[in-house]
Each structure stands twice: as structure tokens, then as C-alpha cells.
Amino acid sequence: MVRLFEFLRSCEKETGTRLVTFDFEIIFFLYLHGPSPSMTVLQATNASLAAFVKALKRLTEEGLLVVEQGTMDRRIRNYDLAPDIRAKLTENFTRLFGELPTKS
């Protein structure tokens, strides 16, 4: 699955066309890596800060993401997939590909 994402990124570079949405980048990163600080998630996307914040807000409001304040530093917000969304993605990956994506 990670290879598919890398393939899409290379196609974007070659064609100069956006193929992967910011929403997908955020959801896929959190699926692979689990709870992560917002700035770590931002670095995994091609989004500007403004577009990233807008996508995070929308995904959280729609119930796709959950957010928690950091325990060491309350200014840090950690994002993760909502448990039901993670379960649905796992079910779909397993059904379609017979395996879960590997972390990289």
C-alpha cells in the first residue's frame, strides 16, 4: 500500500497534476502511523499550512478524526483516526488486498 502511495506521488511529479487530496494524505498517514502531532502530519502532506488546518478542521468536524491535547505540552494537538473509521479502513484493506499496509 505504501508503494501505491509512492507511485501516485511520482505520477504527480511527472505530470504536474494533483492526484491525491490532502484529506487522503492525512487519513493514510494516520492509518499507517497512528496518533501523531499535527506538525508531524503536516510534514507528510503537500498541503500549505492554511489548507492543512482547514482539512484537519473539516475531517474532525465530520467525525473522521479525533484530537487530544498533548500530555507533556497542552499546546500540542495529537490527531488520530476515529476508531470506527480505522476499523472500516482495516476491513476494506483486508478485503481488497488480503493484507494490511505496512508502516514505513
Side-chain angles (χ1 to χ4, degrees):
M1 291 310 302
V2 174
R3 287 186 143 158
L4 173 61
F5 192 66
E6 291 170 358
F7 170 74
L8 291 171
R9 289 266 196 201
S10 68
C11 288
E12 285 182 336
K13 287 179 184 175
E14 292 294 322
T15 64
T17 302
R18 185 110 179 108
L19 301 174
V20 178
T21 66
F22 301 141
D23 292 4
F24 178 80
E25 290 176 333
I26 292 167
I27 290 168
F28 194 72
F29 178 84
L30 292 173
Y31 184 75
L32 290 177
H33 300 282
S36 301
S38 58
M39 289 299 107
T40 301
V41 181
L42 172 61
Q43 292 171 353
T45 73
N46 285 329
S48 68
L49 180 58
F52 176 74
V53 169
K54 187 176 180 179
L56 275 185
K57 182 177 184 200
R58 184 180 63 260
L59 292 170
T60 302
E61 288 174 351
E62 292 174 357
L64 296 165
L65 303 182
V66 292
V67 60
E68 293 181 1
Q69 288 183 324
T71 54
M72 302 287 267
D73 184 344
R74 296 182 56 82
R75 295 172 294 175
I76 295 175
R77 295 181 190 257
N78 292 305
Y79 287 85
D80 196 9
L81 294 177
D84 59 325
I85 299 301
R86 182 174 295 283
K88 288 176 186 176
L89 291 177
T90 297
E91 179 183 321
N92 285 333
F93 276 124
T94 302
R95 181 175 47 81
L96 294 171
F97 301 106
E99 63 183 62
L100 296 178
T102 57
K103 291 184 180 182
S104 64

